[in-house]
Amino acid sequence: MIISKISFANYRNLLDNEIIPDKGINIIYGKNAQGKTNLLECIWLFNGVRSFRGSKDSDLVAFKKDFSKLQITVFSQEREQTADINIINGKREAYLNGVKLSAPSQLLGKMSSIVFSPEHLSLIKDGPAQRRKFLDSALCQIMPRYAVILSKYNKILNQRNALLKDIPYHRELEETLDIWDEKLAYTGAALIFERIKYIDLLKKKVREYHRGISENKEDLKIKYSCCYKIPKGSTQNDIAEFLLNKLQKNKRDDLYLKYTTIGPHRDDIDIIINDMKARTFASQGQQRSAVLSLKLSEATILDEITGEKPVILLDDVLSELDTSRQDFLLNKIDGWQVFITCCEKRFTKQLTNGKTFLLNNGSVTEETKI
Ligand SMILES: Nc1ncnc2c1ncn2[C@@H]1O[C@H](COP(=O)(O)OP(=O)(O)OP(=O)(O)O)[C@@H](O)[C@H]1O
Ligand SMILES: [Mg+2]
C-alpha cells in the first residue's frame, strides 16, 4: 500500500492540513512536542485499531473541538482507494471508498501499517508478555482465525483459573478440572502451533535485517520458548498431548498457586544477539536494531502473505543509532513507503531520495530540495 495523500482536521495539535508524501522515504522532523508522533499516530489509526500509544479515542480530538476528521488516499489492491476516520462524541467511525463500515476494525487487512515507537523497546527489555503480544498481534493481522482461537483460549484459561480458586472450598469440583485441561490443551496447542510456524518464517528474515543494520557485525537469533521442549516436526495434536500431560503433572502446583502455570500464556521468544540474551546484555543501539529487525520482518511477512506492503512508521528511531545504522534505515530499505520522525534536521541531509517535512507547532510543511 502506498499513501498518496493524508488530510487531517482537529487531530490532536495538528493544524488542519493535507500532505502529499513520497512513495519511498518521508522524514518528518521538528523540535519536541510539535506533533510528529501525532502525525504517525493518525496514519496508524487506518489499521482500524486504537492508537499505538494506548490513548482513548476522545483524547485524539483537538482540545476544545468536538470532532476529528482524517482521510488517506492510497494505492492498494491494484487501485486507488480512500479511507476516512471520523472521531465524533469520543467514538471512531470509518469509511472505505465513501461507504461507512460497520466498525473501524473492518479496515484491518484493507489498510496496513506497522509501527516502531520507543515504547516498543519493551519488546526486548520487558518480560515475556510484550513478546507474546507481538506474536499474537502479528498473527491476528495475517490470520483472522488466530484471533478467534486466542479469545477462546483466554476464556478457557479464565474459567480454569476461577475453578482452581474454587476447589479449596468445594473439593467435589476437582474432578471437573480434567475437562478444562483438555480444552486448554487442545486450544493452546493451536496457538503454539501457529506461533512456531510464524517464528520459523520470522527467524531467517530477522537475521538478514539485523545483519544489514549492523553491517554484518551482529548475529540475531530468535527461538520460541516453551516451558517444555517441543520436538521438531511435532503436529498440533502432538503438542496438545504434550500440553495435556504437562497440565496433569503440574496439577498439584496449579491447585496450590491457584493459577495455570503452563501453556501459551506463559511462553516467550528468546532473542539472542551474538550468542548473548538481548534482554540482559544488549546495548541501547543493539536493542533498537533488534526491535527494528523484528518489525521490518513482520512487515515483510505481511507483504508475502497478503501481497500488500504495509506502510512503515518509525518514530524517533534514529537518535541512538550510529551513522551506518541510520544510513541503512534512510537509504537501504528499498520498495517500502516509510515515515520516519526525528528531531534533528541533519538527518534530512543523509537522505538520498524521498521527501522531508518540517513539523512546527502543529503545522506541517514540505521542504523543497535544494
Ligand atoms: N487532543 C489534543 N489536542 C491538542 N493538543 C494535543 C492533544 N493531544 C496531545 N496534544 C499535544 O500534542 C503535542 C505534540 O505531541 P507529539 O507527541 O506529536 O510531539 P512530538 O513532535 O512527537 O514530540 P517528541 O519529539 O518529544 O516526541 C504535545 O505537546 C501534546 O500536548
Ligand atoms: Mg514523538
Side-chain angles (χ1 to χ4, degrees):
M1 163 174 127
I2 301 284
I3 302 178
S4 53
K5 192 165 88 184
I6 310 166
S7 20
F8 34 88
N10 299 345
Y11 189 80
R12 296 231 199 224
N13 78 325
L14 296 178
L15 301 184
D16 299 1
N17 203 344
E18 91 177 18
I19 63 170
I20 310 288
D22 190 82
K23 59 178 185 345
I25 309 275
N26 295 276
I27 295 190
I28 298 142
Y29 80 97
K31 294 195 171 137
N32 292 133
Q34 302 304 303
K36 303 181 298 294
T37 305
N38 293 346
L39 183 57
L40 296 195
E41 183 184 49
C42 89
I43 302 174
W44 168 260
L45 289 182
F46 285 93
N47 280 315
V49 295
R50 290 178 51 194
S51 158
F52 57 79
R53 293 199 275 197
S55 310
K56 287 195 294 228
D57 290 344
S58 56
D59 292 343
L60 309 177
V61 178
F63 299 145
K64 300 192 183 133
K65 303 282 181 188
D66 41 354
F67 70 91
S68 253
K69 270 180 179 297
L70 309 171
Q71 186 178 66
I72 54 171
T73 306
V74 303
F75 192 79
S76 99
Q77 290 153 342
E78 293 169 6
R79 61 199 167 110
E80 192 176 86
Q81 306 203 59
T82 58
D84 293 79
I85 290 183
N86 299 335
I87 307 167
I88 301 172
N89 298 327
K91 283 221 168 85
R92 261 178 306 137
E93 52 184 43
Y95 294 78
L96 187 61
N97 302 320
V99 179
K100 188 172 176 187
L101 303 174
S102 57
S105 58
Q106 297 273 308
L107 285 172
L108 200 70
K110 306 213 167 59
M111 303 279 143
S112 67
S113 59
I114 63 128
V115 66
F116 168 92
S117 79
E119 292 95 79
H120 288 115
L121 289 174
S122 61
L123 200 54
I124 306 277
K125 291 202 274 201
D126 288 2
Q130 292 300 329
R131 289 179 286 281
R132 287 193 298 267
K133 201 168 142 201
F134 165 76
L135 267 185
D136 288 341
S137 62
L139 276 157
C140 286
Q141 230 179 347
I142 54 170
M143 198 183 151
R145 197 173 62 84
Y146 185 88
V148 178
I149 308 170
L150 183 63
S151 125
K152 189 172 161 198
Y153 179 81
N154 286 330
K155 278 192 197 130
I156 298 170
L157 179 66
N158 286 338
Q159 275 159 324
R160 187 179 189 269
N161 285 343
L163 186 63
L164 289 170
K165 289 191 181 74
D166 282 348
I167 288 173
Y169 306 102
H170 306 278
R171 274 305 208 216
E172 71 284 3
L173 290 176
E174 191 170 332
E175 58 197 48
T176 60
L177 202 56
D178 288 352
I179 306 165
W180 293 106
D181 287 1
E182 196 154 314
K183 287 187 186 187
L184 197 80
Y186 281 86
T187 321
L191 295 181
I192 296 173
F193 189 69
E194 294 306 333
R195 285 179 182 180
I196 292 176
K197 268 204 304 198
Y198 188 75
I199 292 277
D200 275 345
L201 285 177
L202 205 61
K203 221 177 240 174
K204 203 166 150 246
K205 298 188 166 56
V206 165
R207 204 167 184 200
E208 274 166 24
Y209 273 118
H210 199 85
R211 274 181 188 225
I213 298 177
S214 67
E215 291 188 300
N216 286 323
K217 291 197 185 76
E218 288 168 17
D219 187 41
L220 175 64
K221 287 196 190 109
I222 56 166
K223 194 170 138 276
Y224 190 69
S225 154
C226 260
C227 53
Y228 42 95
K229 197 166 161 39
I230 298 176
K232 231 183 153 37
S234 298
T235 63
Q236 190 173 314
N237 212 43
D238 295 339
I239 300 173
E241 276 162 28
F242 245 8
L243 200 51
L244 186 58
N245 199 298
K246 264 277 182 188
L247 278 166
Q248 283 163 358
K249 273 196 186 136
N250 278 29
K251 190 167 160 179
R252 287 294 130 211
D253 285 354
D254 286 6
L255 278 167
Y256 175 73
L257 294 164
K258 302 189 180 62
Y259 65 86
T260 306
T261 51
I262 60 146
H265 63 288
R266 308 276 291 176
D267 294 350
D268 198 357
I269 313 174
D270 288 339
I271 303 177
I272 314 280
I273 303 176
N274 291 348
D275 296 324
M276 286 177 282
K277 230 179 164 117
R279 189 177 172 193
T280 330
F281 298 105
S283 74
Q284 308 259 54
Q286 282 179 317
Q287 290 179 8
R288 227 159 246 256
S289 311
V291 176
L292 273 165
S293 306
L294 281 164
K295 291 276 170 181
L296 295 172
S297 306
E298 180 192 353
T300 308
I301 294 176
L302 201 58
D303 173 30
E304 283 175 4
I305 291 182
T306 63
E308 204 65 60
K309 282 190 161 65
V311 169
I312 297 177
L313 309 173
L314 303 177
D315 193 19
D316 212 3
V317 66
L318 296 170
S319 53
E320 271 167 26
L321 298 178
D322 59 36
T323 329
S324 56
R325 291 181 198 230
Q326 287 160 357
D327 186 57
F328 177 86
L329 289 179
L330 293 171
N331 299 314
K332 307 258 163 60
I333 321 181
D334 271 346
W336 299 83
Q337 189 176 40
V338 181
F339 291 81
I340 186 161
T341 69
C342 57
C343 291
E344 292 156 79
K345 188 177 167 74
R346 69 184 162 95
F347 292 124
T348 65
K349 304 227 163 54
Q350 271 173 259
L351 185 71
T352 42
N353 260 312
K355 283 189 178 182
T356 66
F357 297 87
L358 168 66
L359 229 170
N360 185 26
N361 205 7
S363 150
V364 196
T365 32
E366 184 181 333
E367 303 220 310
T368 41
K369 287 199 186 100
I370 311 157

